[in-house]
């Protein structure tokens, strides 16, 4: 009865696995990368950040381009000065208007004015530097977008390898479960014939339960890895992906020759950001200089709305110099200088930290390379040991505990071997990301 129960449970697990397999979607790493480049939220966010920085830069065109406004104003007044001035603008003043009584107590008059104004900056030194700072910021943001794409490429490599590793774990544990069930049946038969004790049968049953639990955890890891890939691609997370590329070690021999380049997009972006702070500091210092601007206007006047019986124009230039604004400008210049000095220190720190990360990644890659050779050797040895013990157990020459230990060891060595492949490939991808 107990034997039939195990067969039923095993069949049920197999049907469940087949059902899950029907929902699996085969996918290659190149497909994941293309989908990420097309739809990933982080990339879209970086693109919008660049658009914002470019818009800030375009605003600085005001340093060169004129400011043009148009207005139409209507008034009704008995103010002596405004009334006489309105008549002058409308070109309707007569000799009778100089009567002191009319000048002091005029009748109500309407005045409608259409005015076109233009202001043209000529010399605005601080504005020139602000434009240069905005351009540096825009270029830095563009390079940050490039680095974001590089990082997501690295994340795709890692996520896909995690999916491959998860499937390898399922594969190993399914084989381990199959072997454990076969040993369970053999142990049951031997117990019935009086060759094994009940404790040996219970030990085999514990092994079967243990492998089933590990297999369930491995299947959950497959779903976790699939969900992360879906997140990167910005697609539904109801899909379980099946990698079409195999998990294998990609041997890499140039890790010691690779160095951190100051032309790397994120490092170059920090350099440009520091330049932007420096230029902004210069702009704040230039606010102490005068500004030269040209201006002009063309005006149309009438006592009826949207008419223009009289007109006039005005043009000129102004030199303005804000000599003292309390201590506001001094404090602003000091702040921008402190921000510039901070950006220089942050740049140097970031370059140093990047070099430290590369040195660490190189050592991690070398260690993984050494472990890869040792784990392959240990896997071969444990496989041969299991084969010998299985044959001896079937002949009644091996203890149950020894067989179970060999099975457990072989499964562990398989998982360790695939884990080492993952670590080696991950370290290799990380080194390439740091030196890109």
């Amino acid at each position: 009865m107990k034997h039939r129960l195990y067969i039923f449970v095993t069949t049920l697990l197999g049907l469940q696995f087949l059902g899950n397999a029907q929902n699996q979607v085969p996918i290659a790493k190149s497909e994941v990368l293309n989908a990420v480049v097309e739809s990933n939220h982080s990339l879209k966010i970086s693109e919008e950040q660049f658009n914002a920085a470019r818009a800030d830069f375009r605003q600085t065109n005001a340093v060169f381009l004129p400011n043009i406004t148009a207005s139409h104003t209507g008034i009704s007044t008995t103010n002596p000065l405004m009334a006489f001035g309105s008549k002058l603008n409308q070109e309707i003043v007569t000799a009778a208007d100089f009567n002191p009584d009319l000048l002091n107590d005029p009748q109500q008059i309407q005045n409608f004015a259409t005015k076109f104004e233009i202001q043209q900056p000529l010399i605005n030194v601080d504005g020139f530097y602000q434009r240069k700072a905005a351009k540096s910021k825009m270029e830095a943001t563009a390079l940050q977008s490039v680095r974001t794409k590089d990082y997501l490429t690295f994340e795709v490599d890692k996520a896909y390898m995690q999916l491959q590793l998860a499937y390898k774990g399922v594969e190993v544990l399914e084989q381990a479960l199959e072997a454990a069930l076969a040993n369970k049946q053999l142990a049951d038969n031997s117990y019935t014939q009086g060759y094994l004790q009940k404790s040996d049968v219970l030990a085999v049953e514990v092994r079967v339960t243990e492998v089933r639990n590990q297999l369930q955890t491995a299947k959950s890891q497959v779903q976790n890895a699939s969900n992360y890939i879906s997140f990167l691609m910005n697609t539904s997370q109801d899909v379980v992906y099946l990698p079409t590329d195999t998990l294998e070690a990609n041997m890499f021999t140039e890790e010691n020759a690779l160095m951190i380049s100051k032309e790397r997009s994120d490092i170059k972006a920090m350099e440009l950001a520091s330049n932007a702070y420096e230029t902004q500091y210069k702009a704040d210092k230039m606010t102490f200089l005068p500004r030269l601007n040209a201006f002009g206007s063309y005006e149309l006047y009438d006592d009826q709305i949207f008419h223009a019986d009289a007109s006039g124009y005005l043009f000129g230039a102004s030199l303005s110099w804000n000599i003292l604004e309390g201590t506001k400008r001094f404090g602003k210049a000091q702040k921008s200088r402190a921000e510039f000095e901070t950006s220089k220190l942050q740049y140097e720190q970031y370059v140093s930290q990047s070099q430290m990360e590369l040195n660490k990644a190189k050592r991690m890659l070398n260690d993984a390379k050494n472990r890869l050779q040792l784990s392959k050797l240990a896997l071969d040895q444990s496989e041969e040991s299991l084969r010998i013990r299985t044959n001896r157990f079937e002949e009644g020459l091996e203890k149950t505990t020894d067989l179970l230990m060999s099975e457990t060891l072989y499964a562990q060595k398989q998982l360790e071997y695939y884990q080492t492949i993952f670590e080696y490939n991950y370290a290799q991808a990380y080194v390439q990301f740091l030196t890109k």
Side-chain angles (χ1 to χ4, degrees), residues 124-126 285-291 320-322 329:
N124 187 348
V125 181
D126 61 318
K285 291 196 299 182
M286 293 300 109
T287 58
F288 293 93
L289 298 179
R291 296 181 178 183
S320 60
W321 194 352
N322 192 345
R329 284 186 297 173

Side-chain angles (χ1 to χ4, degrees), residues 252-267:
F252 186 68
T253 58
E254 299 179 358
E255 63 271 14
N256 292 326
L258 296 175
M259 299 294 293
I260 290 292
S261 172
K262 291 188 177 181
E263 296 300 315
R264 200 176 75 184
S265 55
D266 57 331
I267 295 178

Side-chain angles (χ1 to χ4, degrees), residues 263-278:
E263 296 300 315
R264 200 176 75 184
S265 55
D266 57 331
I267 295 178
K268 190 67 177 178
M270 289 201 68
E271 181 183 2
L272 288 173
S274 180
N275 293 341
Y277 280 113
E278 180 183 14

Side-chain angles (χ1 to χ4, degrees), residues 307-325:
H307 284 65
D309 289 342
S311 63
Y313 64 84
L314 177 148
F315 65 88
S318 66
L319 180 67
S320 60
W321 194 352
N322 192 345
I323 298 176
L324 182 62
E325 196 177 3

Side-chain angles (χ1 to χ4, degrees), residues 84-140:
F84 189 77
S86 296
K87 285 188 175 183
L88 283 175
N89 287 332
Q90 295 174 15
E91 300 177 1
I92 58 174
V93 175
T94 63
D97 292 318
F98 289 94
N99 185 338
D101 293 334
L102 293 177
L103 287 174
N104 293 326
D105 188 16
Q107 296 180 349
Q108 179 177 298
I109 186 172
Q110 285 76 34
N111 184 56
F112 296 93
T114 301
K115 190 174 185 179
F116 301 93
E117 292 182 283
I118 181 171
Q119 294 178 335
Q120 175 64 56
L122 298 178
I123 299 177
N124 187 348
V125 181
D126 61 318
F128 298 152
Y129 279 103
Q130 288 174 351
R131 176 178 172 82
K132 186 177 179 181
K135 184 177 182 180
S136 295
K137 180 182 176 182
M138 180 186 68
E139 293 173 348

